[in-house]
Amino acid sequence: MTDMDSATSPILEAFETFRVELDDYNDRRERLIKASRDATNLSKKVIFLLHRVVGEASAHEPAVGKRAAQRGREKLREVQNLFAKMSTELKGDRYWRYRWQVSPGIQEYTEALSFAHYLEHGTLITLKQVEESLSDTSGIPYFPMSASDYLLGVSDLMGELMRYAISSMSKRGGRQKAAEIGAFVRNCKADFEMFTPNVRDLRKKQFVTGQSLEKIEDANYAVVVRCSEFDLPPEMLDDIVSQTVSTVHGGGVDAASK
């Protein structure tokens, strides 16, 4: 071995180490992106399922929300299993290194879980409850749950509640439920406002929440005005409300939400 070979050998070994580390980083990153995308798609399907179950009911009843939440949680176990598998890739400080790759899936999961929770309890799910749903049988979390992902996930919930509120108006007992949802979204928007300076993208979410709240209030206002014109039994008023909601829906509420 020449002196030149002796001098370059440590350098080549160092570059070989760097190559292995970069390959490992890129491979893990791609695996997490794919897993996060799968979690996002499955969570979206759960949201559609929740809307479909509550939409099939002819009247608004607490039992409908509980039944929808139960079916939604059954499907969410598939997403939880995905995160359980991802946890092996996120040991130690790897979670923070790869957080941006898994964040979309966590946010979409939080949105689906919070929707199921609202349908059953009528309240906002807490950060601790989301963390507990992403833990093993010993109660150890798969990975740290950031407050940012939680806030962004539950902010997306407001759009689903807007759709739920408007679809509920045409059902018996749905007018009161729509008013409750409007108040809930309004309170959430006010409470989240204090976090906007510290959470990336939350200001954009708050703007969208404001649009959702405006659609709920417009629909509620149209219903109240139409109902005030008539002195009719509740059953007949429900028919009028159904026609009014259809008009508002076709006039922009549904189109603007897409």
Side-chain angles (χ1 to χ4, degrees), residues 20-39:
V20 172
E21 290 181 354
L22 286 173
D23 287 346
D24 179 69
Y25 169 81
N26 289 324
D27 291 344
R28 181 175 289 107
R29 180 177 179 275
E30 291 302 318
R31 289 195 298 270
L32 290 172
I33 289 175
K34 182 182 183 303
S36 179
R37 189 179 296 119
D38 291 341

Side-chain angles (χ1 to χ4, degrees), residues 53-95:
V53 174
V54 295
E56 290 172 351
S58 58
H60 175 74
E61 302 173 0
V64 175
K66 291 182 180 180
R67 184 167 65 251
Q70 182 178 2
R71 291 187 59 184
R73 287 197 175 93
E74 290 172 357
K75 295 295 292 182
L76 281 173
R77 291 196 186 98
E78 298 179 28
V79 189
Q80 292 161 358
N81 290 336
L82 276 177
F83 284 124
K85 295 177 182 177
M86 292 166 62
S87 65
T88 58
E89 304 272 16
L90 300 170
K91 295 291 186 182
D93 62 352
R94 285 179 182 170
Y95 170 78

Side-chain angles (χ1 to χ4, degrees), residues 35-235:
S36 179
R37 189 179 296 119
D38 291 341
T40 298
N41 292 335
L42 284 172
S43 298
K44 287 182 182 295
K45 291 180 180 178
V46 172
I47 293 173
F48 297 150
L49 171 65
L50 294 171
H51 278 298
R52 186 170 67 251
V53 174
V54 295
E56 290 172 351
S58 58
H60 175 74
E61 302 173 0
V64 175
K66 291 182 180 180
R67 184 167 65 251
Q70 182 178 2
R71 291 187 59 184
R73 287 197 175 93
E74 290 172 357
K75 295 295 292 182
L76 281 173
R77 291 196 186 98
E78 298 179 28
V79 189
Q80 292 161 358
N81 290 336
L82 276 177
F83 284 124
K85 295 177 182 177
M86 292 166 62
S87 65
T88 58
E89 304 272 16
L90 300 170
K91 295 291 186 182
D93 62 352
R94 285 179 182 170
Y95 170 78
W96 301 106
R97 188 177 186 185
Y98 297 96
R99 182 193 160 200
W100 296 114
Q101 279 70 54
V102 300
S103 182
I106 295 174
Q107 290 179 34
E108 197 70 32
Y109 167 79
T110 302
E111 178 184 357
L113 182 65
S114 62
F115 191 21
H117 182 88
Y118 181 86
L119 290 175
E120 183 172 6
H121 302 287
T123 59
L124 183 67
I125 196 170
T126 64
L127 173 60
K128 183 178 180 180
Q129 288 171 319
V130 178
E131 287 178 332
E132 290 174 349
S133 73
L134 294 176
S135 302
D136 60 22
T137 54
S138 302
I140 301 175
Y142 298 139
F143 41 76
M145 178 72 187
S146 69
S148 297
D149 286 339
Y150 165 76
L151 285 169
L152 295 172
V154 294
S155 291
D156 288 335
L157 167 67
M158 303 303 133
E160 304 307 328
L161 291 182
M162 178 271 293
R163 296 173 181 85
Y164 176 45
I166 292 177
S167 64
S168 295
M169 287 182 182
S170 60
K171 301 175 183 178
R172 293 181 180 177
R175 282 174 285 159
Q176 179 61 33
K177 186 61 180 178
E180 293 174 1
I181 294 174
F184 178 83
V185 173
R186 190 180 305 110
N187 290 334
C188 287
K189 184 179 185 302
D191 290 340
F192 295 167
E193 194 64 34
M194 69 178 74
F195 300 108
T196 54
N198 303 314
V199 178
R200 179 182 177 182
D201 294 332
L202 184 56
R203 192 173 299 279
K204 296 177 183 177
K205 303 277 188 180
Q206 283 287 85
F207 177 76
V208 176
T209 297
Q211 291 180 319
S212 297
L213 179 59
E214 183 178 352
K215 292 169 187 175
I216 296 173
E217 291 176 338
D218 286 347
N220 278 330
Y221 176 78
V223 168
V224 170
V225 170
R226 290 298 301 274
C227 289
S228 66
E229 298 173 355
F230 306 95
D231 183 16
L232 298 172
E235 293 79 7

Side-chain angles (χ1 to χ4, degrees), residues 232-248:
L232 298 172
E235 293 79 7
M236 296 183 67
L237 282 175
D238 285 335
D239 293 336
I240 295 175
V241 168
S242 179
Q243 296 175 5
T244 301
V245 171
S246 298
T247 301
V248 174

